[in-house]
Structure formats: structure tokens, C-alpha cells
Amino acid sequence: MDSGAVAFSKPQVRWAGALFMAPFFLQLLGLGNTLLGGGLCGELFGNETPLGLQGAGFWYAVLFMMLLGFQLMYGGFLLLAKLLEMPASMEPGTYKGGLWLVGLVTLLFVLTRTTGLPYPSPQGFALGDTAPVDPLSLILLGCSWAGGFLLWRLLK
């Protein structure tokens, strides 16, 4: 079998998979509020406020933790796709899905850092405050962008 005919066999796919998985593990640095800051999910732990009284930062952290978990699964799929012998027809759709994921993370990052998003409060939905931008959150977003760039190059 020709190695060029195997789907997901380019080395960029594995690099993109690793870059998509990295933010989930790098976020663990932010849970201790290191010098790099709290990252995207820094306000998720260490807060003893009841769930119904949590502020916007907590709900942003929950949202980004779910997105980072989805990125982790997507990156794992990219790493395993060659071993699973996926058909070559799945490559463009898979890469486009990754680009949409990077776009969604970027859009939500910009919205939570500039205008805020609605979050549940005891009085109903309220417009949240803006979250701080710290070096760790920029590193996490940069890893996602780098993985997205590799996927974009694979689509060309």
C-alpha cells in the first residue's frame, strides 16, 4: 500500500493534534493561579460560593473548560485517525471542523474579554463582566491558533 494514499498520514496532522491537546493540560497551570495567571478556567476551582450565586467568571470558566475538553478529544482523534484507517474523504471535513472549533474558541475569548456574555444569576440571566486577559490565556489561545493554522495549510 502506498503511504501517500493513507488518510491523515501527514506529520502536520499529528502536530495539529498535539497543539489542540496542549491547552487542556496547560490550563492545569492556571488552577493554582501561578505567575502566568488563571488562564481560561482559573475561576473554576477554589471558590466556596453556592452555585446559584456564582459570578460571570465562574460560568466563563465552565464554558471554556468544556471547550478545552472538546479540543482535547478532537486532538486525540487527529492523533488516532491514521491508526483507525479513516477514509481519505473524511479529511477535509475533519480539518474544517477543527477550524470552526478554533473560530468558536477565539470568538468566545474575544467576547468574554471585551463585552461579557450573559450568565445565570438568581434574578435570571445577567450580562457578565469582562474577564481579565493574562499570559496563560494568550498561550492557550496561541496553541489553538497554531493548530488551526496547520489544519488550514492541510486544506490548501
Side-chain angles (χ1 to χ4, degrees):
M1 176 180 244
D2 184 18
S3 64
V6 177
F8 298 100
S9 62
K10 295 181 180 171
Q12 292 94 340
V13 176
R14 289 185 293 282
W15 277 105
L19 285 168
F20 271 100
M21 292 174 74
F24 182 85
F25 297 109
L26 289 173
Q27 176 57 54
L28 297 176
L29 294 172
L31 299 181
N33 280 329
T34 61
L35 293 174
L36 294 175
L40 298 173
C41 310
E43 294 187 35
L44 191 58
F45 299 107
N47 193 350
E48 295 185 17
T49 308
L51 186 62
L53 300 176
Q54 291 289 346
F58 173 81
W59 295 105
Y60 296 162
V62 169
L63 174 68
F64 279 110
M65 188 53 91
M66 288 190 302
L67 285 171
L68 290 179
F70 193 70
Q71 269 191 312
L72 178 70
M73 290 187 299
Y74 179 77
F77 175 77
L78 288 178
L79 290 177
L80 292 175
K82 181 181 175 185
L83 297 173
L84 296 173
E85 298 180 2
M86 305 300 290
S89 62
M90 284 188 63
E91 277 186 287
T94 303
Y95 299 156
K96 287 177 188 175
L99 291 175
W100 277 100
L101 180 59
V102 170
L104 179 64
V105 169
T106 302
L107 175 69
L108 290 174
F109 179 81
V110 169
L111 287 176
T112 56
R113 274 42 183 187
T114 57
T115 61
L117 294 175
Y119 72 97
S121 71
Q123 294 83 20
F125 280 98
L127 186 59
D129 297 333
T130 59
V133 177
D134 55 16
L136 183 58
S137 62
L138 294 175
I139 291 169
L140 300 177
L141 196 62
C143 286
S144 298
W145 284 346
F149 177 73
L150 288 175
L151 293 179
W152 177 71
R153 291 291 308 253
L154 287 168
L155 277 173
K156 290 177 104 180

